[in-house]
Amino acid sequence: MSFVRPAVPNSLSLRVLLAYVVGVILSILLMILVTLALTTFRSDLLLKADMAEYTQELAGAIRFDGNGIPDGLAASEGGGTGVYERLKEETAFRVLDESGRTVLVSAAGEGFWTPAESRGLVPGSFNFERAGVRMHGVIEPFEHGGKTWYLQFAVSTRILGFIYEEFTLPFMGAGVVIFSLVLLIV
């Protein structure tokens, strides 16, 4: 019976190919599960990290006048304050000096920030409610001209949900699909 071929080929190349296909399928499933977990549960940890990073970039875009006082955003930052003028119910920023006095405020105005948000100049993230909508905020200290300034930035849960659902999820989904196809073709 040494001349009888087995029903299932027992070659090394077939085993390697099957191992590769199983690995690809498991990798794709893992990517999909991680993507769903990150976008579905919207971890506050990721949100805080994103907002802190954006606030640091925004602090770097603050323009100063000849006396060293903040007077606006650099034009490279999305056309200055245009976004904050159009979305003044959803997002706002303000710059405070070391004493906590507001020296620059976005188009939303000082009324956007209720006394509860004036919790001192403690760097980090915080949440508050404004007109029944949950807001996420960050306080970021930065230095200019030997003085310490504090940038407060806040954005609503509504706009964050819109960004995640309309931009993040579709682009992440497209990335997973393209990567999966490339992986299978290779």
Side-chain angles (χ1 to χ4, degrees), residues 11-180:
S11 70
L12 180 61
S13 61
L14 181 63
R15 288 181 191 170
V16 169
L17 182 62
L18 286 175
Y20 175 76
V21 170
V22 169
V24 166
I25 291 170
L26 290 175
S27 296
I28 292 169
L29 288 175
L30 182 64
M31 283 189 319
I32 290 171
L33 287 174
V34 168
T35 301
L36 286 175
L38 289 176
T39 55
T40 302
F41 298 114
R42 290 188 197 147
S43 169
D44 275 351
L45 182 65
L46 293 174
L47 174 65
K48 289 176 184 179
D50 285 344
M51 287 191 58
E53 182 180 340
Y54 180 76
T55 306
Q56 289 172 350
E57 290 174 12
L58 192 60
I62 299 291
R63 237 186 15 220
F64 291 85
D65 65 11
N67 298 325
I69 306 295
D71 69 350
L73 291 180
S76 64
E77 183 57 36
T81 58
V83 170
Y84 301 102
E85 290 170 4
R86 290 186 294 275
L87 297 172
K88 62 185 172 188
E89 296 298 318
E90 304 296 330
T91 185
F93 72 89
R94 70 179 175 175
V95 178
L96 304 130
D97 64 10
E98 293 173 323
S99 67
R101 185 178 57 90
T102 302
V103 293
L104 176 67
V105 66
S106 65
E110 194 64 30
F112 185 93
W113 307 93
T114 63
E117 290 76 66
S118 300
R119 60 182 187 95
L121 301 175
V122 180
S125 60
F126 60 96
N127 296 321
F128 63 97
E129 194 165 307
R130 180 178 182 276
V133 177
R134 185 172 183 206
M135 306 294 286
H136 302 276
V138 175
I139 297 176
E140 183 69 35
F142 65 98
E143 292 197 20
H144 184 273
K147 293 182 180 178
T148 301
W149 302 92
Y150 295 88
L151 175 67
Q152 278 188 332
F153 170 73
V155 64
S156 73
T157 302
R158 287 188 298 215
I159 198 81
L160 290 173
F162 175 74
I163 290 169
Y164 279 121
E165 291 169 13
E166 298 299 322
F167 297 102
T168 304
L169 286 177
F171 285 118
M172 284 179 76
V176 167
V177 167
I178 290 170
F179 179 75
S180 300

